[in-house]
Amino acid sequence: MIPHTDFPADDSGRRSSNSFGRSVVADALRAADPAAAAAAERETDWRRGYLRHFRALVEAGLAADGSAAYEIAEAGLASVQARMRFRRDDGEFTLAQALMAQPDRPLETVTVAGTGAAEKELAVPYHGDLLRGDSLKRQLDVWVTRGVIEESAAAAVREVLANPDWLDLSDQRLVTFGAGSEMGPLASVLSWGGTVLAVDLPRPDLWERTAALASQSAGRLLAPLAATTGPVADPVDVADAHPIPQPVAGVPGADLLSDLSAVAQWLLGFDERLILGNYVYAPGGAYPKLAAALDALAVHLREERPDTALAFLATPTDVYGVPGEAVAQSRARFAARSRRARTGALLSGGRLMRPNYLADLEPGISDSLVPQQGPNYALAKRIHRWRATVARRDGVVSFTVAPPTRTRSVVSNRLLAAAYAGAHLFDVEIFEPAAASRLMAALMVHQIRRPRPADPAAWRDEATGAAHGGLWRAAYHPRTALPLAAVRGFLPR
């Protein structure tokens, strides 16, 4: 058996992502809202019924003036780490125990030095143009007016524009877990002359693209050299199985589900301050496994190196507490909806085009969960959020809600691709990956260079700097507009 991260086995020996997710959500809610915890435990159809329980996590977190979210985050993370297993031939262990084990073979380092000139100012590619200086400031104003990003996000980008020397992260080491991610900051940081520690699967095509990008940049890319492994282990639960890749000799990379202690040891070999950037994605049950593994790795590295910073990109398709201004703009848009929209809502029997918010509240609750993404995706993203919430109290954290973006993983889902194509009809802007990743990289730089103390109300930290694409300020509840957007997206242009 190849050592690997896996879900705990139930009494029948089955390892299920649904059982794991249901238990973790219930554990997170237990102290803050026992009734909501019991409801999660009773949920018999987790794959379709998870939506209301993930909303309950946010609703319960708004108690005690928003401070209950810290208790929920701590309980959720404790449950994840207590339940997730690391399986080896000699038994099963917690991830923390696995990280303390001596790796079979230390990872070596491959270096790619760039030959290009460093970019000395922030520039964002957008609709065929390269926005910089005043043109970027004008676009920020447009996005704020249209409700695409929060004013705090625009203010942060303006400050980065005013301090271009912040872009040079050569004094730190950004670790990009999921180096091949379209949304990650690898390309941006390399273009600014920084050094990136790139970790991703040992796939030749991926590293050829990454190495080519690095060689043309002004930065430096360092990657672990994968060790050769034996045959792939047989999965226990086919529905949740993660195909463990067999590394190719001489190809950089590491599998975070199996090479956890080796990656930890490799990273601790660098002297500079680390920024652990979590940009990984995997389909199905592999995603919460990766989230749990990286969470354990972050805890381990911060214990060894307390100055280690964390960086996350949050999905816009989740549940958030949002500022009263966002609620007010949404409700004003709903009140001004056309007669045609009102008629369409009536003809649907009230199922379509419902208001995004039912009352003027601060905070409001923006519920943009998308059923097509599933409970594994929601849980992985919630683990990221929980760790950002907890770590912000004693360290530096970059956490930014990213805009909906036409990444490969999204447009591979036919319904989501169609909904994105028609989203503009409902005041939601879908970004191209190049624009979104550069904008998110700028916001990361701001949060690293200008860290702020944790707010007593955790929801305010999550809302600060949000670039949600308009989902928080749209007139209609996203799940009641998504079908109509998809219909428009399916039509020929």
Side-chain angles (χ1 to χ4, degrees):
M1 176 195 297
I2 297 176
H4 63 284
T5 302
D6 207 349
F7 297 115
D10 60 20
D11 294 338
S12 67
R14 188 172 186 269
R15 300 177 186 271
S16 167
S17 65
N18 286 336
S19 296
F20 177 79
R22 181 169 48 240
S23 298
V24 167
V25 170
D27 288 344
L29 285 166
R30 203 172 312 282
D33 191 337
E41 288 181 316
R42 291 193 302 268
E43 182 61 65
T44 58
D45 187 2
W46 189 252
R47 288 189 187 275
R48 286 182 289 187
Y50 74 94
L51 297 170
R52 67 189 183 99
H53 305 295
F54 276 83
R55 180 184 175 107
L57 287 167
V58 174
E59 291 175 333
L62 297 179
D65 295 328
S67 64
Y70 290 101
E71 180 181 22
I72 290 171
E74 289 174 341
L77 292 172
S79 179
V80 168
Q81 295 304 328
R83 293 178 181 276
M84 192 65 79
R85 302 286 90 189
F86 192 82
R87 303 174 64 195
R88 300 192 314 227
D89 287 332
D90 58 341
E92 296 189 9
F93 305 87
T94 66
L95 296 177
Q97 291 169 331
L99 279 160
M100 297 301 294
Q102 186 69 19
D104 294 335
R105 176 183 171 186
L107 296 173
E108 300 175 353
T109 301
V110 175
T111 302
V112 179
T115 58
E119 297 179 15
K120 298 299 185 181
E121 64 174 334
L122 177 63
V124 177
Y126 186 70
H127 290 180
D129 293 327
L130 197 60
L131 304 181
R132 51 167 49 96
D134 289 342
S135 65
L136 179 53
K137 291 177 184 177
R138 287 192 294 270
Q139 185 59 53
L140 292 170
D141 292 340
V142 171
W143 281 330
V144 170
T145 301
R146 290 175 45 213
V148 173
I149 66 175
E150 296 301 295
E151 170 57 37
S152 55
V157 176
R158 293 188 198 104
E159 194 166 4
V160 173
L161 280 169
N163 295 275
D165 56 303
W166 287 0
L167 299 175
D168 181 4
L169 293 176
S170 58
D171 58 323
Q172 311 187 45
R173 293 294 176 263
L174 172 67
V175 185
T176 55
F177 296 115
S181 166
E182 293 177 271
M183 290 290 290
L186 181 141
S188 296
V189 174
L190 288 175
S191 73
W192 298 328
T195 296
V196 176
L197 310 182
V199 182
D200 212 318
L201 291 172
R203 287 172 23 205
D205 59 331
L206 187 155
W207 287 104
E208 286 174 5
R209 293 195 306 270
T210 305
L213 175 68
S215 65
Q216 296 169 12
S217 75
R220 193 166 60 119
L221 183 143
L222 308 177
L225 185 62
T228 303
T229 63
V232 178
D234 293 330
V236 175
D237 182 355
V238 175
D240 297 324
H242 168 65
I244 301 173
Q246 298 188 62
V248 178
V251 176
D255 186 349
L256 292 165
L257 293 184
S258 56
D259 300 330
L260 204 54
S261 64
V263 171
Q265 186 182 78
W266 181 70
L267 291 174
L268 289 172
F270 296 95
D271 295 330
E272 296 82 3
R273 181 210 198 181
L274 300 176
I275 305 170
L276 305 182
N278 190 333
Y279 311 106
V280 299
Y281 170 76
Y287 202 11
K289 291 179 191 178
L290 276 169
L294 276 174
D295 186 62
L297 179 61
V299 171
H300 178 77
L301 292 174
R302 291 184 79 231
E303 288 174 349
E304 297 291 327
R305 303 264 291 272
D307 67 334
T308 299
L310 305 181
F312 302 91
L313 286 182
T315 176
T317 51
D318 205 339
V319 186
Y320 296 96
V322 303
E325 298 83 19
V327 176
Q329 184 174 15
S330 169
R331 285 175 58 79
R333 283 174 163 174
F334 185 79
R337 67 195 186 282
S338 67
R339 180 179 299 177
R340 183 179 180 182
R342 295 170 190 263
T343 302
L346 287 173
L347 292 175
S348 74
R351 292 188 301 273
L352 298 177
M353 293 189 288
R354 294 177 183 172
N356 214 353
Y357 308 95
L358 297 177
D360 288 314
L361 296 173
E362 164 124 346
I365 295 181
S366 172
D367 181 355
S368 299
L369 283 166
V370 177
Q372 288 75 18
Q373 291 180 311
N376 289 316
Y377 182 87
L379 178 61
K381 286 298 187 181
R382 197 58 57 99
I383 292 171
H384 299 168
R385 287 175 63 180
W386 285 340
R387 180 54 61 192
T389 295
V390 170
R392 194 180 287 110
R393 294 182 300 183
D394 62 358
V396 176
V397 173
S398 170
F399 178 94
T400 308
V401 177
T405 306
R406 292 185 182 87
T407 59
R408 288 186 295 270
S409 62
V410 170
V411 298
S412 64
N413 183 300
R414 188 164 177 261
L415 179 59
L416 286 179
Y420 273 23
H424 63 281
L425 299 175
F426 298 96
D427 299 312
V428 175
E429 178 167 347
I430 308 300
F431 279 63
E432 295 301 323
S437 64
R438 184 57 60 96
L439 188 64
M440 295 300 100
L443 290 170
M444 181 200 71
V445 166
H446 184 270
Q447 292 177 351
I448 294 297
R449 296 300 191 190
R450 291 287 300 272
R452 61 182 187 277
D455 194 288
W459 73 266
R460 290 197 187 95
D461 281 322
E462 294 185 335
T464 300
H468 44 75
L471 288 169
W472 291 7
R473 294 172 178 260
Y476 306 111
H477 188 290
R479 288 197 296 277
T480 70
L482 177 67
L484 296 176
V487 168
R488 176 60 183 87
F490 279 127
L491 296 176
R493 299 196 173 203

